[in-house]
Amino acid sequence: MPTSEITLYGAHWCPDCRRSKQFLGEHQIPYDWIDIEEDPAAEQLVIEKNQGKRIIPTIVFADGSFLVEPSNAELAAKLGLKTTASRSHYDLIVLGGGPAGLTAALYTAREAIDTLVIERAAFGGQAAGTEKLDNMPGFPDGVAGIEFSNRLRQQAERFGVELLQAQEVAGVGIHDNYKFVRTGDGSQYTARALLIATGSRYKRLNVPGENEYIGAGVHFCATCDGPFYKGKQIAVIGGGNSATEESLLLTKFADQVTILVRGGEFKATRIIQDKVLSHPKIQVRWHTEVKEFIGAESKLTHLRVQDNRSGQEETIPKDGAFIFIGLVPNTKFLEDSGILLNRWGFIVSGHNLVHGGSRPAGYRKRDPFLLETSLPGVFAAGDVRDASTKQVVSAAGEGSTAALAIREYLRLN
Ligand SMILES: Cc1cc2nc3c(=O)[nH]c(=O)nc-3n(C[C@H](O)[C@H](O)[C@H](O)COP(=O)(O)OP(=O)(O)OC[C@H]3O[C@@H](n4cnc5c(N)ncnc54)[C@H](O)[C@@H]3O)c2cc1C
């Protein structure tokens, strides 16, 4: 029986169903998933809606309306997501609507600086996908990541920030005195200043089967996909803070969580390690590497793992696998921008750009402001920035710091 306002009817082997699931998951939109191959009544409903044809995905909404095999753009439009800006030019365009971007935007908009935020997924970034933020100052009992993100979004809206969603930034640059931003739909917007706050994303293992089974057994977000594994057996890959914290969350759904750790110990805080190691539903396998994700009918069923000391391989049955092995910065779209990145792709900023008194080209009369990139007037904040501390509070703090520097930049230019 569906419990959400959106029901996605599909089958586990269907790539368009996976794409729609991924879109809804990334936008933090609750939905019920029904595999029509396991539910004859649901299959009949799909056939009725499609005049005798069995077409999936069929997505049914609370008012009875439905979409059949929608593109992401059609789905965004149906969900009322704003994907096009009202103007083509702004004082400031913020790339990324996570804690850094939204905090910067509410600071600048509050000071009457025209601000557009462009976000490709859900507002709140990684914070929105975190079950509970326990270290937020001012929240003695912690706060759910989604609640914090909604509050941040509402606050930005209150100050008049224009927000675009389901729109990916594909490139940035400088043309004459203006900075421009290209989005995935081919639109181009200009601004007097830019703030890059695109954060980072989960690293992948890059082993056979991983891409194939994403959304069909391989996941990177326990909050989004954990509820699909009620009463199931799952694996978590990784040994750091994310892997251990998310394993604890997954025990709420799964019957058994097996953590596969490449090394011989966790790289997580002692308090979390203790909780994990004493949890009755959690099992840990040290010195274990995943070599392949194996499935049947496009659904993950097994993991081929290897003991990296003995070399011995084993195939273990699992209904799902959650990968938490680190982060990579979301900076691919900056490749041709001229913005200096460090060797891992994070953005270099501020005084780290000045070496022995020599500044990057473009900075003839002054040093870069704090959080300004190698392109004057283009700033960076949060997890995407080299040397950032990868925390919500510091990302928000960097957002406010960048906003104040941008205010000064706009005053001078
Ligand atoms: C599982 C997990 C648990 C965590 N727990 C905590 C915790 O308890 N406490 C804590 O302080 N921190 C925690 N963190 C870290 C914290 O969430 C991040 O440090 C913080 O969200 C970084 O904020 P940000 O705005 O810099 O980047 P992000 O949160 O990554 O936001 C960046 C945004 O930019 C968007 N974006 C990226 N590329 C593009 C593009 N090309 N076009 C348009 N938009 C784009 C992304 O969709 C995203 O919404 C956790 C992180 C994870 C993954």
Side-chain angles (χ1 to χ4, degrees), residues 86-93 114 178-179 188-193:
S86 58
R87 286 178 289 132
S88 60
H89 181 75
Y90 292 81
D91 290 333
L92 170 67
I93 299 180
D114 259 354
Y178 292 110
K179 285 88 200 164
Q188 182 156 305
Y189 302 101
T190 56
R192 293 167 62 204

Side-chain angles (χ1 to χ4, degrees), residues 171-395:
V172 303
I174 295 189
H175 186 64
D176 295 332
N177 233 356
Y178 292 110
K179 285 88 200 164
F180 66 84
V181 175
R182 261 185 301 108
T183 51
D185 64 350
S187 303
Q188 182 156 305
Y189 302 101
T190 56
R192 293 167 62 204
L194 300 182
L195 173 65
I196 304 166
T198 46
S200 48
R201 69 191 148 75
Y202 295 110
K203 261 189 192 162
R204 293 186 183 181
L205 291 167
N206 294 322
V207 298
E210 185 180 35
N211 287 342
E212 196 180 338
Y213 295 112
I214 286 177
V218 174
H219 305 276
F220 299 87
C221 173
T223 309
C224 313
D225 301 319
F228 293 125
Y229 290 92
K230 284 194 182 110
K232 308 267 180 178
Q233 313 266 316
I234 58 172
V236 165
I237 296 128
N241 275 319
S242 290
T244 43
E245 282 178 34
E246 300 301 292
S247 295
L248 288 169
L249 167 62
L250 288 164
T251 58
K252 289 189 177 174
F253 312 111
D255 268 2
Q256 193 195 50
V257 177
T258 305
I259 310 183
L260 309 176
V261 188
R262 196 169 53 171
E265 59 185 2
F266 285 129
K267 291 185 188 127
T269 55
R270 172 56 57 190
I271 188 164
I272 302 265
Q273 290 197 36
D274 291 346
K275 276 190 192 172
V276 164
L277 291 170
S278 60
H279 199 290
K281 280 188 174 180
I282 297 181
Q283 199 181 63
V284 184
R285 287 179 66 146
W286 307 108
H287 301 286
T288 304
E289 293 185 28
V290 176
K291 293 292 169 190
E292 186 180 0
F293 293 96
I294 301 166
E297 295 176 345
S298 301
K299 172 91 182 85
L300 182 80
T301 55
H302 291 80
L303 273 62
R304 182 162 61 81
V305 298
Q306 184 181 50
D307 184 313
N308 58 21
R309 292 165 305 181
S310 65
Q312 196 172 342
E313 288 197 351
E314 194 186 335
T315 300
I316 53 174
K318 291 289 164 211
D319 300 302
F322 288 76
I323 304 172
F324 303 112
I325 55 167
L327 298 169
V328 277
N330 295 318
T331 51
K332 199 154 173 42
F333 65 96
L334 295 177
E335 269 170 2
D336 303 321
S337 66
I339 292 173
L340 184 69
L341 308 176
N342 73 8
R343 67 184 155 126
W344 296 284
F346 290 90
I347 300 174
V348 182
S349 62
H351 55 71
N352 288 340
L353 292 163
V354 181
H355 300 287
S358 134
R359 307 178 187 123
Y363 287 97
R364 285 193 297 279
K365 295 192 184 143
R366 63 171 178 89
D367 280 352
F369 286 114
L370 200 63
L371 308 188
E372 198 171 16
T373 71
S374 57
L375 290 187
V378 180
F379 294 76
D383 280 17
V384 75
R385 201 181 63 79
D386 170 43
S388 60
T389 53
K390 316 290 183 279
Q391 289 293 295
V392 173
V393 171
S394 41

Side-chain angles (χ1 to χ4, degrees), residues 10-13 34-40 42-43 54 56 297:
H12 54 77
W13 46 263
I34 297 185
D35 188 329
I36 62 166
E37 300 211 331
E38 291 170 7
D39 186 335
E43 182 178 20
R54 189 177 175 275
I56 48 173
E297 295 176 345

